[in-house]
Amino acid sequence: MTTATPEPVPAVEVDVVSPDRREKVDKYGRPRRGRGSGNAGLGSRPGFLTYGLLAAFVIGGAYPLWWSYVVASGTNATRGETLPLIPGGNFLANAAQVLDAIPFWLALWNSIVISSTITISVVTFSTLAGYAFAKLRFRGRDGLMIFVIATMAIPTQLGIIPLFMVMRELGWTGEIGAVIVPTLVTAFGVFFMRQYLVDVIPDELIEAARVDGANQIRTFFHVALPAARPAMAILGLFTFMMAWTDYLWPLIVLSPTNPTLQTALSQLQSGYYIDYSIVLAGAVMATIPLLILFVVAGKQLISGIMAGAVKG
Amino acid sequence: MTSTLTPPTGTGSDGDDSRPPRASRLTWRQRISIFDVKASPYAYVAPFFLLFGLVGLFPLAYTFWVSLFDWDLLKGQGDFVGMENFWAILNDRFFWNSIRNTISIFLLSAIPQLAMALLLAYLLDQGLRAKTFWRMSILLPYVVTPVAVAIIFSSVFNEADGLVNNLLNLIGIPDQQWKHDTFLSHIAIASMVNWRWTGYNTLILLAAMQAVPRDLYESAAIDGAGAARRFFSVTIPSIRPTLIFVVITATIGGLQIFTEPRLFDVSNAGGIGGADRQFQTTVLFMWELAFFRRDFGEASAVAWLLFLLIVAFGLVNFLLSRRVATGDARGGRRAARRAARKGADA
Amino acid sequence: MKLSRHTKVAAALAGAASVALLASACSSDGGGTDEAASDEPITLTITTFGTFGYDDLYEQYMDENPNITIEATNIDTGGNARTDAFTKIAAGSGLSDIVAIEEGWLGSIMEVSDTFVDLRDFGIEDRSGDWVDWKYAQATDADGRVIGYGTDIGPEGLCYNGVLFEEAGLPSDRAEVAELIDGDWEHFFDVGRDYQEATGKAWYDHSGFVWNAMVNQLDEGYYTADGELNVEGNAELQERFELLGAATEDGLSAAQAAWDWNGGKSFVDGTFATFVCPGWMLGVVQGNTEAGGGDASTGWDFADVFPGGAANWGGAFLAVPETSENQAAAAALADWLTQPEQQVAQFEAAGTFPSTVAAQDELAANPTPNEFFNDAPVGEILAGRSVGVVAQFKGPDDSVIQENVFGPPLQKLDRGEVSTQEAWDEAIVLLDELVG
């Protein structure tokens, strides 16, 4: 719920399935047409009420975002209107004010660098460790895995005070490295990859690779990595989102002069005088990158979230 | 990266010792191979454990150390005070205030959110046309970051002429004090959480609903159970593990809520959660102690107390979910039969 | 809302600012520049906050000293600058070569004053007579080290809305208003009661700022001159609190949220008629009025009067941290920026009132009408308002006491949720919990 919340922790056995695989299962599990796939819609198609309720919810959910854009493209007075619907023509002017008020491009760049680095690191280390836990035999494996599961629930962000002191010792405060390092690995990532790889790679495949004379690292690259790709994409998306939305730690360890997008955005609200059309222009501008990501990778995001659910 | 790590030396030789007769006959290549098999797993998991120990566990342990001292942000480590910081915090009404606020905001967000997500997942599980469109639309608010959400909603809940009050005025309700009033401010903050997360949880519940065997519904329907009864007697019991999982994540996250209260009324009293701390959460209280009042010692004590609280919540949830998970496989069917029987009786 | 808005405000505040004024402004020929006169290229970093109006001065300095490159950062508010500075002091690195420090949190900086260099090593003693004496004294720590070049001060005058005054049947002319208000706080509130009776509207925006002014005016505020906490049992303080409480209970406060004022709209729609205004606040009033959709015709004016006599709120210093690698060059720049000539330029750019005597005299001698404030000669008025200001010792928790000890009960008082006595009692409890 807060910024550093670990992404969904599958509580029981998880089967991360790519969208098309699930699709097949669905089609296999029930008649192709006629009967609604829904539990209540036995023998009937969803009616007007269903669509109406959903549409109402979607419109209600999207309106705050639209409202932000309307105010951001209007004037400070627009905020006081009742249910404004039509955007004005000031968005670019207000956006220019945002660029004056906060180091927006620097913040955007910092956020991209931070989130990308964390994503690459988390996905790499999680895949390596997840593969080892899923498919390799070694002493202490089960104990270590239980340890990983146990630490998933630990709110590591409560360690910010010593982390701050460590960064001070290292002289890293104010540098984006200080934001990156504490999240280079997550227990959730390891668990997620392990759960995926356990099912998806047949043991015989690894055995076969070994018989063919492939060493461990070759096996990893030629067998595990291709199989892990869909889960890596999903883990990458979640990790990116988590790093991108984080606020508490960057707020503490970075300064307003070298911010992330989130800490820069929060500064907009605390001037000596507040023009809400500019503040909301900032909020809209900061949302655009993720909106783009959403349009491009929304389907993966959805299947990723749904894959995190428990197999019934 | 494997080359940079020294694998535990004992492993390889242990392996060799276990079959001394053959060891002498092993070629150099075979030795390498055995070493490879034995050591590689450790090399794969080592980076995770090293880094996690360094940036995850060590800070938590060190937090406890700091909490035993007078420790000023600027002046650094002071005298050893033992448990005094903990007693001070446990006797601090602002700490308990922050706990109350946190739990109140958590309940106000978790319960309506779950109910809403259940309803939406149920609607989405109806074999809709353009289902990807609906799923993406439901998820849309999730891409707005908490900071942006807080900024947008603090405007929406502006007490003088924000959107919410304007709409209330339309139906004849006077302006409400969304930021000043304790309960209303909790509702406002919970609504930010709900807005961003309802769609997300809907999709998780939807996935679980889709996995419910269809024959359960069919037999219930044949036995005369109506849609509502099928929902409560078949769907809900079948997806209970998922529900519990959603509650666990919501709990861990909800107890650490920071961004929304921090930015809800940012220019008032330094943004510590309302002038009267009416919506100051525990993490926000910790932040205030550490970086506003510069008391690292007491702030660390708060971090540890909150940590214990979260672990306690987590354990309760874990035990609960284990009990449910074990009895569940047949639970769903039993419930379905029960529902069917009741339906038939009625 | 920061830079470009500032420019707008700055341009307005400068009004018909004449080049002649700049040229004629007395100058002592930047004594400190000698040390930086070597040809070695040096990059200096400087961090300011709010409205400092230094941009043109940086350019000028770089033109005059080709080997110097200035990299400037401006943080939006003093509060954020405080957090930034504290975090960097705590981090032991990251401070700029020159750091602007606000008077309100100077007290806590003084606790760690050895983080900053003793400017006596760079000849600040020779200039000690430049500043009003209390400004120089404020920058001196317990060991006699001087850690800051004074930039501006915040002498307080009264902002009032002439249009609203007229509607209430009060005089609206600047001089008449000064005469009307002249007196102690009780008198100020009594005039407010008349206004409230005539219009049914509030007199001032919220109690917090008024309280701030009432405390800042005392010889000793939340701390005694020796640095002892001075709130509980301080009869003088409590008496003022009761005055304010009585006025608030009579409905004189508009119970506004500070630093928001409903997005500036409350400055425009007649919610309140007066506002306590240190020099730097003039830009805030104008910015909020404009953000709220108003302009000069909204009626804001600036009177040469303040209840209870002279008072100061805010002002800043430029300090050089020990961690700076270019201490001499940084001190030279800070020295130059705080010369009277530059302070006059700063006032014209940002409305911050100079802390050096020569610059104040300059402004007093060359009144420039300010268009937004009904052509009030704000520089001249502020020069008058600065006479008689006394230095008040700011303790380490001064800003916490202001914002978190007295702030919350005053807000409740504003909303009529507690009585004056209850508010005072709550403040004492909070003081005990947060500071004690």
Side-chain angles (χ1 to χ4, degrees):
Chain A
M1 240 168 240
T2 56
T3 50
T5 308
E7 293 299 343
V9 183
V12 198
E13 276 292 297
V14 171
D15 176 21
V16 183
V17 218
S18 58
D20 32 27
R21 250 185 82 195
R22 181 175 284 279
E23 212 51 44
K24 262 184 231 150
V25 171
D26 281 1
K27 279 180 188 148
Y28 181 78
R30 60 183 96 123
R32 233 175 303 152
R33 297 199 58 181
R35 283 184 153 178
S37 61
N39 49 54
L42 292 165
S44 67
R45 301 194 61 80
F48 172 77
L49 187 66
T50 304
Y51 285 108
L53 276 173
L54 276 175
F57 183 85
V58 166
I59 291 169
Y63 184 69
L65 204 52
W66 180 247
W67 177 83
S68 312
Y69 178 69
V70 173
V71 176
S73 62
T75 65
N76 195 30
T78 315
R79 196 214 51 191
E81 291 172 15
T82 306
L83 218 61
L85 292 172
I86 315 295
N90 290 341
F91 184 74
L92 289 181
N94 288 330
Q97 300 259 26
V98 172
L99 298 184
D100 272 345
I102 54 173
F104 183 84
W105 299 116
L106 173 67
L108 181 65
W109 175 245
N110 281 344
S111 281
I112 290 173
V113 171
I114 289 169
S115 305
S116 306
T117 313
I118 290 176
T119 301
I120 292 168
S121 163
V122 166
V123 170
T124 306
F125 292 136
S126 299
T127 308
L128 272 174
Y131 167 69
F133 278 123
K135 290 292 153 187
L136 304 182
R137 272 185 294 272
F138 56 98
R139 238 205 280 179
R141 183 178 78 170
D142 294 345
L144 288 174
M145 193 60 216
I146 288 172
F147 174 79
V148 169
I149 294 173
T151 51
M152 272 198 306
I154 292 180
T156 48
Q157 66 161 348
L158 294 183
I160 50 170
I161 288 166
L163 269 181
F164 176 78
M165 300 195 300
V166 168
M167 294 306 160
R168 160 171 70 193
E169 290 306 312
L170 295 172
W172 285 8
T173 46
E175 310 286 336
I176 59 173
V179 181
I180 294 172
V181 168
T183 12
L184 279 178
V185 293
T186 63
F188 167 72
V190 174
F191 179 72
F192 183 85
M193 291 311 295
R194 187 255 170 201
Q195 295 302 86
Y196 179 78
L197 292 172
V198 134
D199 284 346
V200 94
I201 308 177
D203 288 331
E204 304 82 57
L205 209 59
I206 294 173
E207 198 50 42
R210 235 161 58 98
V211 170
D212 286 351
N215 60 21
Q216 289 283 336
I217 201 78
R218 266 181 70 108
T219 314
F220 174 75
F221 277 107
H222 291 277
V223 178
L225 210 54
R229 219 164 263 156
M232 288 169 76
I234 289 167
L235 179 62
L237 262 177
F238 282 137
T239 309
F240 192 89
M241 285 288 287
M242 181 199 75
W244 188 271
T245 55
D246 197 12
Y247 177 62
L248 174 59
W249 176 239
L251 174 75
I252 288 164
V253 84
L254 293 183
S255 72
T257 54
N258 188 29
T260 66
L261 203 49
Q262 307 309 317
T263 58
L265 189 57
S266 69
Q267 271 187 65
L268 269 182
Q269 231 188 350
S270 57
Y272 284 125
Y273 34 96
I274 300 171
D275 185 330
Y276 284 99
S277 60
I278 295 170
V279 174
L280 286 165
V284 170
M285 286 162 73
T287 304
I288 290 172
L290 283 190
L291 263 183
I292 294 171
L293 186 75
F294 185 61
V295 169
V296 174
K299 273 186 145 175
Q300 272 100 322
L301 197 63
I302 287 171
S303 60
I305 293 168
M306 294 181 64
V310 181
K311 209 161 69 176
Chain B
M1 119 205 2
T2 47
S3 59
T4 62
L5 290 160
T6 319
T9 44
T11 322
S13 51
D14 275 358
D16 285 358
D17 291 347
S18 60
R19 17 188 168 149
R22 291 180 56 200
S24 53
R25 274 178 282 142
L26 284 176
T27 64
W28 180 79
R29 188 176 271 276
Q30 280 169 316
R31 279 168 189 266
I32 290 282
S33 174
I34 288 174
F35 179 76
D36 182 36
V37 169
K38 295 270 178 198
S40 285
Y42 295 103
Y44 291 178
V45 299
F48 166 77
F49 283 102
L50 285 178
L51 279 170
F52 191 77
L54 213 61
V55 299
L57 296 182
F58 163 72
L60 268 184
Y62 201 73
T63 302
F64 185 70
W65 177 250
V66 173
S67 71
L68 301 177
F69 291 84
D70 266 336
W71 204 306
D72 184 90
L73 169 70
L74 297 185
K75 288 180 281 190
Q77 186 173 2
D79 296 335
F80 179 84
V81 296
M83 299 303 281
E84 239 171 68
N85 285 325
F86 284 91
W87 301 140
I89 289 300
L90 287 172
N91 285 310
D92 190 331
R93 68 185 166 115
F94 297 139
F95 173 70
W96 295 109
N97 172 63
S98 77
I99 295 275
R100 263 197 311 277
N101 290 342
T102 306
I103 291 176
S104 161
I105 291 171
F106 163 65
L107 291 178
L108 283 171
S109 55
I111 294 171
Q113 192 185 149
L114 212 59
M116 201 68 195
L118 268 173
L119 172 69
L120 287 169
Y122 174 77
L123 294 176
L124 286 174
D125 192 26
Q126 303 290 306
L128 298 172
R129 289 175 198 280
K131 64 180 195 287
T132 307
F133 165 79
W134 290 112
R135 287 177 188 177
M136 282 188 74
S137 304
I138 292 274
L139 192 62
L140 179 68
Y142 178 66
V143 305
V144 186
T145 66
V147 170
V149 173
I151 286 177
I152 292 171
F153 277 70
S154 83
S155 260
V156 166
F157 283 106
N158 184 294
E159 292 184 351
D161 56 4
L163 183 62
V164 173
N165 274 345
N166 285 346
L167 292 177
L168 288 178
N169 291 344
L170 269 188
I171 54 170
I173 300 172
D175 284 351
Q176 300 294 309
Q177 303 194 331
W178 294 105
K179 295 186 180 175
H180 185 71
D181 184 86
T182 305
F183 184 64
L184 290 180
S185 68
H186 292 186
I187 289 184
I189 288 168
S191 72
M192 300 186 206
V193 179
N194 291 340
W195 185 66
R196 184 159 189 263
W197 287 97
T198 299
Y200 185 93
N201 286 323
T202 299
L203 293 181
I204 292 180
L205 294 176
L206 172 63
M209 282 186 192
Q210 287 187 340
V212 178
R214 300 290 136 172
D215 58 345
L216 287 186
Y217 293 122
E218 280 161 19
S219 52
I222 289 166
D223 291 343
R229 167 145 285 156
R230 287 202 300 274
F231 179 73
F232 285 107
S233 304
V234 181
T235 312
I236 299 276
S238 304
I239 65 167
R240 229 160 68 183
T242 309
L243 274 175
I244 286 166
F245 153 67
V246 169
V247 170
I248 292 175
T249 28
T251 312
I252 295 172
L255 294 178
Q256 297 179 71
I257 189 167
F258 171 79
T259 307
E260 291 86 349
R262 163 84 180 97
L263 295 175
F264 185 51
D265 194 7
V266 75
S267 50
N268 199 342
I272 57 163
D276 210 21
R277 292 181 165 73
Q278 64 268 30
F279 51 94
Q280 182 177 57
T281 58
T282 306
V283 177
L284 191 48
F285 177 58
M286 176 182 84
W287 177 81
E288 185 210 342
L289 271 178
F291 296 95
F292 224 75
R293 279 149 67 183
R294 308 192 298 277
D295 191 336
F296 266 17
E298 286 193 12
S300 297
V302 172
W304 255 87
L305 290 170
L306 182 59
F307 170 71
L308 292 179
L309 188 73
I310 292 173
V311 168
F313 264 82
L315 273 179
V316 169
N317 278 325
F318 177 70
L319 294 176
L320 213 65
S321 64
R322 258 174 63 127
R323 242 194 54 205
V324 171
T326 48
D328 202 73
R330 279 174 310 160
R333 286 171 191 275
R334 243 199 334 265
R337 272 200 299 276
R338 210 166 39 234
R341 244 197 330 272
K342 274 185 191 160
D345 293 346
Chain C
M1 74 209 85
K2 315 299 146 26
L3 292 182
S4 58
R5 289 239 152 206
H6 288 170
T7 326
K8 214 158 79 189
V9 173
L13 278 170
S18 57
V19 183
L21 183 70
L22 233 187
S24 70
C26 57
S27 84
S28 55
D29 270 339
T33 44
D34 307 343
E35 289 136 24
S38 77
D39 294 335
E40 188 193 347
I42 294 175
T43 299
L44 293 175
T45 54
I46 176 167
T47 303
T48 55
F49 54 83
T51 42
F52 254 71
Y54 271 172
D55 292 346
D56 290 342
L57 292 173
Y58 296 148
E59 293 298 325
Q60 188 189 339
Y61 192 78
M62 286 190 279
D63 283 347
E64 289 171 13
N65 302 274
N67 64 319
I68 303 282
T69 309
I70 299 173
E71 287 179 2
T73 307
N74 193 58
I75 296 176
D76 54 354
T77 63
N80 282 341
R82 175 180 89 154
T83 311
D84 185 50
F86 283 165
T87 307
K88 282 171 175 169
I89 292 170
S93 69
L95 287 169
S96 303
D97 293 315
I98 299 175
V99 181
I101 295 169
E102 196 177 45
E103 186 217 28
W105 39 278
L106 181 67
S108 27
I109 291 290
M110 280 302 180
E111 295 252 289
V112 286
S113 58
D114 55 359
T115 313
F116 296 94
V117 300
D118 184 355
L119 297 171
R120 289 178 303 177
D121 299 345
F122 300 94
I124 197 174
E125 276 171 310
D126 303 339
R127 278 192 62 196
S128 61
D130 282 8
W131 286 281
V132 292
D133 48 5
W134 58 269
K135 186 77 175 174
Y136 187 77
Q138 275 188 321
T140 309
D141 74 5
D143 303 329
R145 301 169 77 251
V146 184
I147 63 161
Y149 292 98
T151 61
D152 62 319
I153 57 175
E156 298 196 71
L158 188 72
C159 287
Y160 70 99
N161 189 311
V163 174
L164 295 177
F165 268 47
E166 229 161 87
E167 282 170 11
L170 297 174
S172 64
D173 176 73
R174 207 170 299 127
E176 289 175 60
V177 168
E179 208 170 302
L180 172 74
I181 299 293
D182 191 38
D184 55 14
W185 283 98
E186 192 160 11
H187 174 67
F188 173 71
F189 292 137
D190 281 341
V191 177
R193 287 183 179 96
D194 292 344
Y195 173 85
Q196 206 258 354
E197 231 159 78
T199 61
K201 288 192 212 160
W203 180 234
Y204 51 86
D205 75 310
H206 78 293
S207 298
F209 280 6
V210 176
W211 174 242
N212 201 4
M214 292 172 93
V215 175
N216 277 336
Q217 205 169 36
L218 298 166
D219 291 341
E220 294 179 328
Y222 298 132
Y223 288 83
T224 65
D226 316 326
E228 295 294 319
L229 208 54
N230 184 34
V231 179
E232 211 174 342
N234 183 340
E236 198 181 17
L237 203 65
Q238 191 168 357
E239 189 190 327
R240 291 202 160 204
F241 193 87
E242 280 159 6
L243 267 181
L244 175 64
T248 305
E249 285 176 3
D250 287 345
L252 298 197
S253 166
Q256 290 289 298
W259 309 119
D260 183 17
W261 300 285
N262 192 24
K265 282 178 202 166
S266 303
F267 274 95
V268 181
D269 61 13
T271 303
F272 50 87
T274 63
F275 195 81
V276 292
C277 272
W280 51 268
M281 190 69 94
L282 295 170
V284 176
V285 171
Q286 182 176 353
N288 272 289
T289 306
E290 285 171 358
D295 53 30
S297 70
T298 306
W300 287 101
D301 205 328
F302 187 54
D304 186 3
V305 68
F306 202 71
N312 183 77
W313 178 9
F317 299 85
L318 298 182
V320 177
E322 286 283 0
T323 49
S324 165
E325 285 169 12
N326 301 298
Q327 294 178 1
L333 171 58
D335 184 19
W336 183 82
L337 284 169
T338 54
Q339 295 287 341
E341 189 182 348
Q342 278 66 252
Q343 289 196 342
V344 171
Q346 190 193 0
F347 170 76
E348 286 173 2
T352 49
F353 189 73
S355 58
T356 55
V357 179
Q360 292 176 1
D361 292 347
E362 188 62 41
L363 292 181
N366 295 283
T368 318
N370 182 303
E371 224 174 288
F372 179 82
F373 287 97
N374 195 23
D375 291 330
V378 297
E380 184 193 8
I381 293 174
L382 285 168
R385 296 312 321 154
S386 68
V387 176
V389 166
V390 286
Q392 188 188 77
F393 176 80
K394 297 286 182 193
D397 286 313
D398 234 274
S399 52
V400 172
I401 297 173
Q402 180 63 37
E403 198 163 35
N404 299 106
V405 170
F406 280 100
L410 282 172
Q411 284 190 30
K412 286 189 192 166
L413 192 60
D414 270 357
R415 290 173 182 258
E417 293 169 357
V418 294
S419 69
T420 305
Q421 186 58 44
E422 286 165 342
W424 175 263
D425 293 344
E426 187 180 333
I428 296 300
V429 171
L430 282 167
L431 180 76
D432 212 42
E433 287 170 328
L434 299 182
V435 181

